[in-house]
Amino acid sequence: MSKAGKGGSDKLQQKSPAEFFAENKNIAGFDNPGKCLYTTVRELVENALDSAESISVLPLVEITIEEVSRARLNTLRGLGDHARVDEQLYHDYESEDARKKRLAKEAKEKQRLEKLAASKGEAAAAAAAADAARKAADGKKAGPARGTLFYKVTVKDNGCGMSHADIPNMLGRVLSGTKYGVKQTRGKFGLGAKMALIWSKMTTGLPFSISSALRKQDFRSQYELDIDIHKNAPNVHSAAKLPNADGWHGACLSLTIEGNWSSYRAKLLKYLRQIAVITPYAQFSFQYIAEDPKSSLKLTFRRRTDVMPPPPKITKHHPSSVDLELVKRLITETKATSLSAFLTREFDQVSKALSGRLIGELRSGGVNASTDPKQLSSQQVVRLHQLLHEVRFADPSGSHLSPAGEYNLRLGVMKELQPELIATHAGDVRVFEGHAFIVEAAVSLGGRELRPGINVYRFANRIPLLFEGGSDVITRTATKRINWGSYKINQSSDRVGVFVSIVSTKIPFKGAGKEYIGDDVEEMVSAVKAAIQQCCAQLRVKIAKALALREQQQRRRNLTKYIPDAAGAIFTVLAAMAGSDPRGPKRRRLQDSSNLLQQVARKEVVQAMLEKKLAEHVERIDTDMALEFQVAQGLAGGAAKQQLWLAPLCDKTHYGAELHANACVVRLLH
Amino acid sequence: MSKAGTSKRAGEDINKQQKKIKNIDEVLKLVKKLAEQGRKNTTAERSLAELDLAHSVREVVDKDADAVLDEIETTMLEVAQSILAGNGYSFDIPSRAKGNQLYVPELDRIVLKDTVSKRPFASSQACRKTAITTRILGLVHELCNKQINVTKRDLFYTDVKLFEDQRESDAVLDDLSCMLGCTRSSLHVVASEKGVVVGRLTFTEDGDHIDCRRMGVGGKAIPPNISKVSNIASDALFILLVEKDAAFMRLAEDRFYNDYPSIIITAKGQPDVATRLFLRKLKLSLKIPVLALVDSDPYGLKILSVYMKGSMNMSYDSSNLTTPDIKWLGVRPSDLDRFNIPAQCRLAMTDEDLKTGRKLLEEDFIKANPAWVAELELMLKKKEKAEIQALSSFGFQYLSQVYLPLKLQEGDWI
């Protein structure tokens, strides 16, 4: 920005939206190179999903991240290799002190090796030396690789594509085409990929390339463009129409950015896995191409279902949710010419009759049903806004929302985590501040890749939330408000997966990056809690069954375990009794009717005999119970039912001779 | 209000009150009267059999070793016969659960109803417990045979591998008392000693003569085996039941019982079986009133309730363990203002305290005494509690030299 002249330092400046976001990129998740790479991929993937779902096509998303070395980037940028003139000018120049330090360290290491050689012999020293050498090499190699690098990110989808003429404006202008009305959307700021484009412009300066085709379009649009951040306008480098022989439709975006793969690798893969969980009807293929082919990576998250949730519909604003500014905007944008038509047309849950009653309330302010909304005075608008908040309206129906669906959630969890047990639940439509929301939950037990304890997976409007989980409503509810013990789940040792997906026209995000959902919305807390509890209640039945089965298998062992203890104790008492006279009437009476004690005294009854008899009894009980269990299981599982055929004995059927086998007799039907 | 002002006013109060303490005979006049009343009022204790209860109830009695042996041997003989007949075996254990407990207002105690649960050996749920029960039955048989007493801990250590946790062997021991119909001490198993007694009391313990006036400041440990205590003699006018060790020590060191003929007992918190048995025995043989000095909080009242009503856990044995007629001497919620206990010695009650307090208000033994209800309501209203030690803010010996004499002189017990 140009420095203002003398005395004019407080010159009024205006910022374009693109400039604002370029300066505050952290709010859109562009904090550091690593996270920028992550967010870029995320935004592009979510755009791709939206695009495919909007035309009800099962999404197929191909993601490619390609490492670009500085040298290659320079050739791409058209920069020649630069030979350093003044070595001391640079970061990586080894100063005199640093060199002394390094030499001292190397000398020390050498001394240590010599000592080692003296004490343990040559072989050990050689091994240690090799070890040290490898470490040093590692350090050198890790040096540049660990730092930030440049990456070419390409995401290709099979969505609706963009029309040739719209492409520059759709991608080259921040905050363009804001949607009218309210809708459940995947993105968090409506910035989509544009933030990524700004980031690419800020770091590499390379334009991005788009190729796109609408359905049934016989050509592909091919663009090279970037954003003029200052003007918030597209800057087209080249545009062309290429032949589209194979009838592809969709979009393919490719941009080169600065990033950090090594530090965000885990997060990126986690994101891909989770988005695969919540969208099992999409296929994701991911490829990472490194300069060194050994660290390249290829992953495919397969599609497991063809059932796709219906795309979210745009709905009208609920009167309880609007603010004053929104009312004013609706008034300027409406095509309605009367207040009555304005209320019914622009707001959800306002019927003709209700609008009449509302206008009745406003009559004292000097308006009636036929007043043109555009003629309302600002006081009247304020009164209208107040009224909308005071009146009780019916809750939004929620039919415009597009939850993932219990089936899809279950399938997603099962295919990605392969748990031992799973239960899912979809809650009813609930409402907070005039916005409908639906909570769906899945709770899984066991399975790979879960740590012992509660593992929380959060989804908002069908995108995974990976950061700042600690204060999230879902995390807090799952860890603090659920009494896992009462569902026979051990909170610290069982591998529990808690998956909660919340969809709404407005998710109450918290934090600068909109990374978590606030824990202070009571309606949401109770909905999340109820959904998880429902899942747990379902699981409890299954767990109880599994426990019963285990008990079944271990019963005999448990029962026989205590036989020696019990028999020993009984026999000790009997032996003591045999050697003493009765102390009271009860024993005397009992003793008269049996000669057990005499038998003990004569050693006819010994401890081993008691043990044997007890063991026999236990065995019998065990068999009985096993049979009982099998019958109960069989009846529940339907295994005890057998199909039965009645053989007709009329003269229309003829049977052959009896064939005798070991187990049965068969007569064949002729 | 400045701190200095408060303490000065409190000081005046003490002085005023100190003047009021008359000579010892005067002080004890009301106590004597109470003792006489108590002696007159000893109506014959009614037993469960005399009441015509809708439920059949179970109670346990003290039995001698031979009677217990007879019960055990009969049980074992039946068990052995059942095993040899090939039927395995099982015990019939009376349920000690809350649902099986019944409060008998006529006797003012809790008894067990007649629900019995089977404990068969050949059941995966009960197998381990049955084995433990059998083992302990065998051990108790040995104890009764040899006429020796062991502690619960001793018993646990005879077969740690089987019992695993002392709580398990303890619980089974209670089950056995119910099953055999005798008190726990008849099983020759005692709890380790916890209670202490000091004061004008002499008795014989297992042949040794004990004089509780010559027990130093620590006092005499209450013997866990009450059956070995005999020849109880005392010239005390009352028994002072103290909740805490600290207050007990103060009174013992000040030789409170020399000036005011009394017996001082503490169980250091929640009373154990031995202390309750001992108190009951003293009360029955000496027929002198029992005055209680507990903290002014719900927990203090809870402790009183255990002395008077018995604990839920040992309800089957309540007739042998409880001392129903205990007077609440202090520290009562109304004392806090009457004795001007400074604010820094009073504590705010926690939510938990308030909850316990409200629950106590529902209890029959509180409701039976309107004066207690009034005190408890006052406590809950002011939401303040104080320990006996709060009295030390007026000087360490305030408790023994001013507070207690004054209370006794005024006959301020409820």
Side-chain angles (χ1 to χ4, degrees):
Chain A
M1 229 126 292
S2 63
K3 268 253 158 84
K6 307 158 207 158
S9 59
D10 51 354
K11 193 179 110 190
L12 196 66
Q13 295 183 357
Q14 266 195 333
K15 258 185 201 138
S16 80
E19 267 179 316
F20 173 78
F21 283 110
E23 281 167 29
N24 298 288
K25 54 191 186 322
N26 61 314
I27 62 166
F30 285 80
D31 319 28
N32 56 55
K35 188 138 182 225
C36 289
L37 180 65
Y38 162 81
T39 313
T40 303
V41 171
R42 217 189 99 163
E43 294 287 1
L44 294 180
V45 167
E46 281 154 22
N47 270 1
L49 288 176
D50 278 339
S51 155
E53 280 173 27
S54 70
I55 52 167
S56 300
V57 167
L58 292 170
L60 179 78
V61 184
E62 291 165 39
I63 307 135
T64 314
I65 300 178
E66 194 182 350
E67 231 175 73
V68 180
S69 68
R70 187 173 285 274
R72 234 180 88 204
L73 183 72
N74 283 347
T75 44
L76 282 175
R77 282 175 178 164
L79 254 62
D81 266 350
H82 172 76
R84 288 179 183 177
V85 181
D86 184 0
E87 279 292 344
Q88 290 189 17
L89 200 62
Y90 294 92
H91 266 311
D92 50 0
Y93 173 73
E94 191 178 33
S95 68
E96 195 59 29
D97 283 353
R99 207 177 59 151
K100 265 187 202 152
K101 249 184 211 164
R102 180 170 60 84
L103 288 175
K105 201 177 160 194
E106 279 169 7
K108 228 188 219 165
E109 185 68 10
K110 211 170 159 196
Q111 254 178 2
R112 192 180 70 86
L113 284 176
E114 272 163 9
K115 243 189 214 160
L116 201 70
S119 63
K120 285 195 183 159
E122 283 301 312
D131 199 36
R134 200 172 57 239
K135 247 187 223 159
D138 273 356
K140 243 174 238 162
K141 209 162 60 186
R146 203 182 293 128
T148 56
L149 265 173
F150 299 95
Y151 300 90
K152 185 175 176 196
V153 180
T154 310
V155 174
K156 187 177 175 188
D157 65 53
N158 58 344
C160 58
M162 290 168 276
S163 80
H164 186 80
D166 285 347
I167 289 175
N169 271 334
M170 282 181 88
L171 289 168
R173 206 188 290 275
V174 172
L175 298 182
S176 61
T178 31
K179 281 159 196 144
Y180 175 59
V182 263
K183 185 184 173 188
Q184 171 194 332
T185 52
R186 274 211 172 83
K188 286 190 271 186
F189 293 92
L191 289 174
K194 278 152 270 185
M195 232 6 260
L197 305 183
I198 291 175
W199 173 248
S200 117
K201 167 112 182 159
M202 285 170 74
T203 51
T204 63
L206 289 176
F208 43 96
S209 61
I210 307 107
S211 79
S212 174
L214 294 171
R215 270 202 287 193
K216 292 172 192 143
Q217 188 175 277
D218 55 359
F219 63 90
R220 291 182 189 192
S221 320
Q222 179 73 41
Y223 274 93
E224 293 263 323
L225 56 85
D226 65 5
I227 297 181
D228 184 327
I229 292 179
H230 189 56
K231 279 197 224 143
N232 188 24
N235 177 13
V236 179
H237 293 235
S238 73
K241 288 184 180 178
L242 302 174
N244 183 21
D246 54 357
W248 172 73
H249 60 88
C252 176
L253 247 93
S254 171
L255 66 166
T256 312
I257 56 166
E258 186 183 333
N260 189 338
W261 165 254
S262 53
S263 65
Y264 268 71
R265 177 178 181 274
K267 282 278 182 205
L268 254 166
L269 297 183
K270 200 169 167 188
Y271 169 79
L272 287 172
R273 159 146 291 145
Q274 291 194 17
I275 193 108
V277 165
I278 199 75
T279 39
Y281 51 88
Q283 172 138 349
F284 300 90
S285 53
F286 174 78
Q287 197 179 6
Y288 178 75
I289 305 166
E291 300 264 289
D292 176 7
K294 262 187 259 164
S295 38
S296 291
L297 188 69
K298 208 165 178 179
L299 280 175
T300 306
F301 299 88
R302 287 186 176 287
R303 175 181 299 142
R304 280 296 159 89
T305 171
D306 294 341
V307 180
M308 206 158 76
K313 292 190 211 82
I314 292 176
T315 184
K316 292 179 280 191
H317 285 280
H318 191 273
S320 309
S321 69
V322 292
D323 57 43
L324 186 56
E325 211 41 51
L326 189 62
V327 175
K328 284 182 184 161
R329 208 185 81 205
L330 289 173
I331 287 173
T332 50
E333 285 171 0
T334 187
K335 292 192 186 79
T337 49
S338 74
L339 190 56
S340 150
F342 168 71
L343 288 174
T344 48
R345 197 182 292 174
E346 300 298 333
F347 292 102
D348 190 22
Q349 303 294 348
V350 179
S351 64
K352 191 113 197 162
L354 184 58
S355 84
R357 286 171 68 190
L358 288 174
I359 291 164
E361 284 298 308
L362 293 170
R363 195 146 289 155
S364 57
V367 291
N368 57 52
S370 54
T371 310
D372 184 351
K374 295 198 165 54
Q375 302 303 316
L376 290 176
S377 70
S378 61
Q379 282 84 3
Q380 284 164 337
V381 173
V382 170
R383 178 73 197 108
L384 174 64
H385 171 245
Q386 276 177 355
L387 183 71
L388 291 178
H389 279 264
E390 284 160 11
V391 171
R392 181 184 300 151
F393 295 94
D395 283 335
S397 66
S399 60
H400 53 283
L401 293 178
S402 166
E406 240 185 293
Y407 173 78
N408 275 345
L409 187 60
R410 185 187 199 92
L411 212 74
V413 174
M414 281 174 51
K415 94 176 165 99
E416 289 306 326
L417 293 142
Q418 290 157 10
E420 285 156 25
L421 291 176
I422 180 170
T424 50
H425 176 78
D428 295 330
V429 177
R430 302 213 190 184
V431 175
F432 95 97
E433 288 174 7
H435 292 280
F437 70 95
I438 297 176
V439 175
E440 294 167 299
V443 176
S444 72
L445 260 184
R448 56 175 193 186
E449 291 186 29
L450 282 188
R451 282 193 308 275
I454 309 284
N455 297 265
V456 180
Y457 294 81
R458 305 173 287 138
F459 302 96
N461 280 349
R462 299 185 7 224
I463 54 164
L465 301 178
L466 261 59
F467 297 91
E468 297 177 53
S471 3
D472 188 271
V473 60
I474 298 169
T475 316
R476 293 186 72 93
T477 305
T479 53
K480 300 246 157 65
R481 302 193 185 98
I482 303 285
N483 182 6
W484 294 96
S486 65
Y487 301 103
K488 297 182 193 290
I489 296 173
N490 185 327
Q491 191 169 356
S492 52
S493 67
D494 287 340
R495 294 166 192 273
V496 187
V498 178
F499 305 79
V500 178
S501 156
I502 302 177
V503 295
S504 172
T505 44
K506 188 182 179 223
I507 303 265
F509 281 118
K510 283 278 165 73
K514 289 199 174 184
E515 290 292 356
Y516 70 95
I517 304 170
D519 192 34
D520 47 1
V521 182
E522 241 167 70
E523 294 90 334
M524 215 152 256
V525 169
S526 74
V528 170
K529 190 176 170 193
I532 298 178
Q533 278 175 333
Q534 282 291 332
C535 294
C536 291
Q538 291 173 36
L539 274 184
R540 179 169 51 187
V541 181
K542 296 183 189 172
I543 295 170
K545 238 181 221 167
L547 285 178
L549 189 69
R550 196 159 65 201
E551 203 263 336
Q552 192 65 26
Q553 287 157 348
Q554 294 176 346
R555 186 179 49 231
R556 182 179 303 213
R557 214 187 66 212
N558 285 343
L559 289 180
T560 44
K561 191 170 149 193
Y562 295 110
I563 288 178
D565 283 311
I570 296 166
F571 189 77
T572 314
V573 175
L574 288 182
M577 283 164 75
S580 70
D581 289 328
R583 313 283 180 118
K586 275 189 173 174
R587 175 181 155 191
R588 210 168 287 136
R589 225 177 301 138
L590 207 62
Q591 217 171 323
D592 291 342
S593 62
S594 92
N595 58 348
L596 181 60
L597 290 181
Q598 284 93 317
Q599 285 177 325
V600 173
R602 289 198 302 269
K603 297 213 166 75
E604 283 169 20
V605 169
V606 288
Q607 185 176 340
M609 194 168 159
L610 286 177
E611 283 182 23
K612 200 176 135 234
K613 284 278 182 185
L614 254 183
E616 280 169 17
H617 175 69
V618 161
E619 197 153 318
R620 212 180 59 237
I621 293 280
D622 180 57
T623 319
D624 285 357
M625 281 165 83
L627 201 66
E628 216 169 277
F629 180 78
Q630 280 308 329
V631 170
Q633 285 295 97
L635 286 179
K641 290 177 204 150
Q642 266 186 353
Q643 280 182 312
L644 195 75
W645 284 276
L646 294 176
L649 283 172
C650 62
D651 44 6
K652 277 185 189 165
T653 51
H654 302 280
Y655 298 98
E658 284 183 358
L659 302 170
H660 287 264
N662 281 340
C664 58
V665 179
V666 181
R667 284 169 72 192
L668 291 173
L669 188 67
H670 286 293
Chain B
M1 203 194 303
S2 75
K3 232 183 200 172
T6 323
S7 62
K8 198 180 161 203
R9 268 209 5 224
E12 280 168 11
D13 249 321
I14 298 164
N15 291 336
K16 219 161 50 197
Q17 285 159 1
Q18 232 160 9
K19 267 177 225 152
K20 283 199 285 182
I21 298 176
K22 300 168 189 160
N23 66 39
I24 289 165
D25 283 342
E26 289 279 327
V27 166
L28 292 172
K29 227 160 91 184
L30 284 166
V31 182
K32 277 179 193 155
K33 223 167 117 189
L34 180 71
E36 261 162 47
Q37 258 174 19
R39 238 162 298 188
K40 262 186 244 161
N41 285 353
T42 42
T43 44
E45 222 183 284
R46 290 200 283 176
S47 72
L48 276 171
E50 289 164 35
L51 298 165
D52 198 18
L53 291 176
H55 296 275
S56 66
V57 295
R58 176 183 295 269
E59 61 177 345
V60 297
V61 289
D62 257 318
K63 288 187 182 171
D64 60 12
D66 279 352
V68 176
L69 274 174
D70 193 35
E71 291 283 351
I72 297 175
E73 292 182 347
T74 322
T75 312
M76 280 304 211
L77 214 50
E78 278 167 354
V79 162
Q81 281 169 348
S82 171
I83 293 175
L84 290 175
N87 296 327
Y89 71 99
S90 81
F91 293 114
D92 290 333
I93 307 282
S95 158
R96 291 184 291 119
K98 192 149 191 191
N100 198 34
Q101 295 178 348
L102 179 73
Y103 175 74
V104 185
E106 292 90 337
L107 299 181
D108 193 25
R109 44 172 271 226
I110 304 161
V111 293
L112 286 183
K113 289 191 267 188
D114 57 353
T115 309
V116 166
S117 63
K118 278 235 175 280
R119 195 172 280 178
F121 183 77
S123 138
S124 357
Q125 288 87 39
C127 179
R128 198 177 118 72
K129 256 210 154 141
T130 314
I132 295 176
T133 314
T134 318
R135 184 87 175 95
I136 291 189
L137 209 53
L139 290 170
V140 171
H141 182 264
E142 189 186 336
L143 291 177
C144 291
N145 245 338
K146 292 186 178 154
Q147 299 273 13
I148 49 169
N149 288 284
V150 298
T151 62
K152 285 154 104 181
R153 190 82 184 149
D154 272 332
L155 193 75
F156 166 64
Y157 269 108
T158 48
D159 198 343
V160 189
K161 223 176 127 199
L162 175 64
F163 302 151
E164 280 177 17
D165 188 338
Q166 199 191 328
R167 273 171 298 187
E168 295 207 47
S169 60
D170 288 359
V172 166
L173 209 57
D174 283 338
D175 287 339
L176 277 185
S177 322
C178 286
M179 188 176 91
L180 303 174
C182 57
T183 59
R184 199 182 69 199
S185 32
S186 328
L187 296 178
H188 290 239
V189 181
V190 294
S192 47
E193 46 198 45
K194 189 176 160 212
V196 206
V197 59
V198 76
R200 301 211 183 180
L201 176 70
T202 58
F203 58 88
T204 318
E205 183 188 355
D206 209 12
D208 293 348
H209 180 73
I210 310 279
D211 185 349
C212 292
R213 273 169 301 188
R214 295 170 211 290
M215 282 295 155
V217 284
K220 163 83 179 89
I222 291 176
N225 187 9
I226 202 77
S227 56
K228 294 201 169 157
V229 173
S230 54
N231 294 333
I232 295 175
S234 167
D235 63 344
L237 285 173
F238 61 96
I239 299 168
L240 187 62
L241 196 62
V242 180
E243 178 184 338
K244 285 196 178 151
D245 207 16
F248 176 86
M249 218 191 82
R250 179 82 271 119
L251 294 173
E253 201 175 51
D254 291 354
R255 308 277 164 165
F256 178 78
Y257 49 86
N258 279 344
D259 296 340
Y260 306 92
S262 58
I263 301 165
I264 303 165
I265 289 182
T266 182
K268 302 173 186 168
Q270 276 292 355
D272 53 337
V273 170
T275 311
R276 282 148 68 191
L277 278 171
F278 190 73
L279 178 69
R280 183 178 160 82
K281 191 151 188 168
L282 286 187
K283 168 86 179 158
L284 284 180
S285 47
L286 299 175
K287 295 196 170 48
I288 50 176
V290 181
L291 303 176
L293 179 64
V294 294
D295 285 349
S296 169
D297 58 18
Y299 195 67
L301 272 180
K302 265 230 127 99
I303 286 175
L304 262 187
S305 91
V306 174
Y307 279 114
M308 295 168 70
K309 293 286 141 346
S311 63
M312 285 291 173
N313 196 26
M314 301 275 288
S315 61
Y316 63 89
D317 201 3
S318 59
S319 64
N320 305 301
L321 292 175
T322 55
T323 313
D325 186 29
I326 296 179
K327 300 282 181 213
W328 188 7
L329 184 69
V331 176
R332 298 206 307 270
S334 58
D335 288 352
L336 299 188
D337 282 346
R338 242 164 51 81
F339 287 84
N340 241 330
I341 304 230
Q344 66 263 31
C345 295
R346 305 180 190 195
L347 297 167
M349 283 168 78
T350 63
D351 288 348
E352 196 59 38
D353 289 336
L354 291 170
K355 221 168 86 189
T356 319
R358 273 185 221 113
K359 260 197 205 143
L360 276 173
L361 265 183
E362 306 286 308
E363 298 235 0
D364 297 306
F365 85 99
I366 300 263
K367 278 200 271 189
N369 193 337
W372 286 38
V373 175
E375 289 283 356
L376 190 55
E377 275 172 351
L378 180 73
M379 183 197 303
L380 292 175
K381 203 183 103 202
K382 302 195 89 179
K383 296 186 180 168
E384 275 177 343
K385 59 178 181 181
E387 300 188 2
I388 306 173
Q389 278 69 49
L391 297 167
S392 304
S393 58
F394 302 125
F396 288 117
Q397 291 181 312
Y398 181 79
L399 174 69
S400 54
Q401 293 178 351
V402 183
Y403 180 78
L404 284 176
L406 206 64
K407 287 285 246 184
L408 293 174
Q409 177 182 312
E410 291 175 358
D412 186 20
W413 53 73
I414 54 176

